[in-house]
Amino acid sequence: MAKAIRKLVIGAALSLFSMACTATGGHNPSPTPSSADRFTPLNRLKPIDLDGDPLSETETFHANGTPKAIGEVRTGNYRVIAYTEGSSCGILVVDAKSSKKPSINLVSAWPKDDSDGIRRYAAGPYSFASGAGSDGSHSRASLYCSESAMVIEYSAKGNAQAFGRQGHVSIKERHSAPESLVVIVGSDAARKKIRGQI
């Protein structure tokens, strides 16, 4: 009986000692990084050059600096432009022939921490915004915005097939719904991870 009590006392003492070492700077494993930590942030991606520079002609968020285009997709008669502005994501949908009047202009700040936002796609969490075209085009866009990626779900009357793209974008066309298109914006690693989910 005395041996059993002595073993319990020694075990408790060792346990308390190791807890004290951890609390006073002993080895403590680093926290597991969130999925967003593994990808290049959007605002560090190289900007692209846009024909006609529609971002300078359009009212944008303006709170965090100059908007920076990081991707563009041409679909039908429209250009879908993805941009960053400080810690915000934006999309601008403009007529391919005249970029002076945007059809859709959405801006959303990315979530401040991992407990905010939604996790519909990898490289999140995401904030969400959506809007319809203002020019009778019957187009609609939804924007999922995180620090590391943007996912744009775009639909237009008729066919939303992509004809060209530039920058940090991947395209996922839905053959079951030819009027809709998914545009994934981010680093190569982030786009690959998200594309595998869709």
Side-chain angles (χ1 to χ4, degrees):
M1 182 74 168
K3 284 184 180 180
I5 291 173
R6 192 172 8 168
K7 284 182 182 178
L8 284 173
V9 170
I10 291 171
L14 286 173
S15 177
L16 287 172
F17 177 74
S18 63
M19 284 174 40
C21 286
T22 301
T24 60
H27 177 67
N28 191 6
S30 59
T32 305
S34 68
S35 60
D37 293 337
R38 292 179 280 160
F39 305 112
T40 304
L42 292 174
N43 58 9
R44 290 194 195 156
L45 297 176
K46 184 179 177 183
I48 61 170
D49 293 324
L50 294 173
D51 291 339
D53 196 15
L55 285 176
S56 67
E57 300 171 1
T58 304
E59 183 179 338
T60 55
F61 193 54
H62 295 305
N64 296 313
T66 306
K68 178 178 83 169
I70 56 173
E72 177 183 16
V73 173
R74 292 187 183 238
T75 173
N77 296 323
Y78 293 92
R79 298 166 65 187
V80 179
I81 299 164
Y83 66 93
T84 62
E85 194 169 4
S87 57
S88 298
C89 310
I91 61 169
L92 188 66
V93 180
V94 296
D95 190 292
K97 294 179 182 173
S98 171
S99 60
K100 295 196 183 284
K101 288 179 76 177
S103 170
I104 300 173
N105 186 9
L106 296 174
V107 178
S108 181
W110 60 60
K112 294 190 185 304
D113 57 52
D114 279 355
S115 63
D116 291 339
I118 55 177
R119 297 186 178 276
R120 181 165 181 173
Y121 299 105
Y126 291 85
S127 59
F128 176 79
S130 67
S134 61
D135 61 354
S137 64
H138 304 286
S139 60
R140 179 161 196 81
S142 296
L143 168 64
Y144 293 86
C145 169
S146 82
E147 183 177 1
S148 300
M150 274 188 252
V151 180
I152 302 162
E153 296 173 348
Y154 175 75
S155 63
K157 187 176 183 181
N159 196 326
Q161 182 180 7
F163 294 108
R165 66 184 174 94
Q166 69 161 327
H168 309 276
V169 295
S170 295
I171 300 162
K172 182 81 172 184
E173 294 176 349
R174 293 179 169 157
H175 299 293
S176 59
E179 72 284 352
S180 69
L181 178 71
V182 180
V183 180
I184 306 160
V185 185
S187 65
D188 291 343
R191 295 196 323 262
K192 182 177 180 181
K193 184 83 172 171
I194 295 165
R195 192 174 164 83
Q197 291 183 306
I198 299 174

